[in-house]
Amino acid sequence: TATRDYRTYASAFASSAARKWEQVRDHVRPGRIVDIGCGAGAVLELADREPALRESDLIGVEVARHLYDECVHKKAQGVFGNPNVYFYRRNVLGGAVFAPRSVDTTLTFALTHEIWSYGSRLDSVRRFVQAVYNHTVPGGVWINSDVCGPDGRDVPVLLRLSTSDG
């Protein structure tokens, strides 16, 4: 949005990237790795340093022009050693971003609450989850980290995920 201070966003993303990467790195599958809502690409910078991911495609998707431009600038400046680093400016609410069964690992950090807030709430989140499912290869993973909370802060939130539906 026009009212956001993207410099502050990029700084906050960079300062939290190491913590996020440490939490997820053991679950990332080599191959095609996508960070949707990648900000200025800080998590992908850390993925780029992993020897086990040297042959992987690292792909960042960002809707905010300022953050996307910073990703492209970093790539042009040689921040990434892997030649297979790509960035796309896309709005994931607009539909599928990747071909079916083409992504090994999808990373999303602090994104699903934005989809809820800026989209059609639950309907948009469901469409996004379906799109991630559709673009994930069999045996691939989606690693999602976000905040959630009920309208009443004292109400417990319980999340139940089914393992029987694939």
Side-chain angles (χ1 to χ4, degrees):
T1 64
T3 60
R4 289 198 177 181
D5 176 1
Y6 288 104
R7 184 176 306 186
T8 301
Y9 266 73
S11 176
F13 294 151
S15 67
S16 65
R19 174 184 50 80
K20 292 173 183 176
W21 181 247
E22 198 55 40
Q23 290 173 340
V24 305
R25 69 186 289 206
D26 292 339
H27 305 286
V28 172
R29 308 253 170 114
R32 199 168 200 207
I33 300 164
V34 175
D35 184 356
I36 300 177
C38 70
V43 170
L44 288 177
E45 286 182 54
L46 297 172
D48 178 61
R49 297 177 192 155
E50 293 287 335
L53 303 179
R54 184 163 301 155
E55 297 296 320
S56 294
D57 291 341
L58 304 176
I59 303 166
V61 177
E62 179 55 53
V63 68
R65 181 180 47 82
H66 301 292
L67 297 173
Y68 166 78
D69 289 346
E70 182 59 22
C71 291
V72 173
H73 176 74
K74 284 180 177 181
K75 182 177 176 181
Q77 295 300 310
V79 169
F80 299 94
N82 181 339
N84 300 314
V85 175
Y86 308 96
F87 293 99
Y88 298 99
R89 184 168 180 233
R90 302 284 190 274
N91 183 344
V92 296
L93 294 178
V97 176
F98 297 98
R101 308 294 180 245
S102 66
V103 176
D104 297 282
T105 300
T106 300
L107 304 171
T108 53
F109 298 100
L111 178 69
T112 49
H113 79 273
E114 299 280 3
I115 291 170
W116 175 277
S117 297
Y118 289 100
S120 301
R121 303 178 78 75
L122 184 58
D123 182 54
S124 293
V125 172
R126 282 186 171 153
R127 283 195 327 269
F128 177 71
V129 170
Q130 186 65 56
V132 170
Y133 176 80
N134 291 345
H135 77 220
T136 302
V137 300
V141 296
W142 173 27
I143 303 168
N144 182 52
S145 175
D146 208 339
V147 297
C148 68
D151 291 334
R153 291 178 170 251
D154 59 339
V155 176
V157 174
L158 205 35
L159 179 64
R160 292 190 181 115
L161 301 173
S162 172
T163 59
S164 64
D165 60 359

